[in-house]
Amino acid sequence: MPPLPEGVREGGEQLVRLTAEAGAKVAALIAREQQGDFLRIAITGGGCNGLSYKLKFTPELRRGDILVRSAGVPVAVDPKTALYLKGTVLDYSGKMVAGGFKFSNPNAKASCSCGESFSV
């Protein structure tokens, strides 16, 4: 395992944890999409409850990032997102109805039915 870039620190699954199903799906998507080897989880303003989750692949880590290795997947989290994400579990379901990625965030006071936005 190469050393982390300057300004990047290692975090643990107490920040964010992927289930085995989510890890397998993300690994398959990383291989298929070839947009980068890291899954970046970000929280931005917007959505029905004020804050929304964003997932994207990125080829490199940025200064200030926290790298979490979970379910075989390297996950990049910026420090601002980390404040809202602590203890979150990312799951995946392949079901036709209500399938896809689902966040279980213990910090969320309310979330929308689609599971893509929340408030604290």
Side-chain angles (χ1 to χ4, degrees):
M1 201 174 312
L4 293 175
E6 187 174 334
V8 173
R9 61 192 164 107
E10 187 101 27
E13 287 187 320
Q14 66 274 16
L15 178 59
V16 62
R17 182 176 65 81
L18 278 64
T19 63
E21 294 80 7
K25 184 62 175 181
V26 169
L29 289 170
I30 285 173
R32 187 181 84 191
E33 301 295 321
Q34 297 186 358
Q35 297 292 312
D37 293 331
F38 300 96
L39 171 67
R40 179 170 296 282
I41 299 177
I43 293 175
T44 60
C48 10
N49 272 297
L51 296 169
S52 194
Y53 299 104
K54 301 290 180 208
L55 298 173
K56 72 177 189 175
F57 299 115
T58 185
E60 57 195 29
L61 298 168
R62 297 192 292 240
R63 181 179 205 86
D65 278 347
I66 301 165
L67 174 64
V68 176
R69 299 172 204 275
S70 183
V73 174
V75 180
V77 178
D78 66 81
K80 182 180 163 203
T81 294
L83 296 172
Y84 297 105
L85 210 58
K86 190 171 183 172
T88 295
V89 175
L90 178 60
D91 194 11
Y92 178 78
S93 168
K95 293 180 183 173
M96 291 288 283
V97 176
F101 288 102
K102 297 280 187 234
F103 289 89
S104 295
N105 186 335
N107 307 299
K109 301 280 187 274
S111 60
C112 63
S113 60
C114 67
E116 292 177 14
S117 71
F118 68 102
S119 64
V120 290

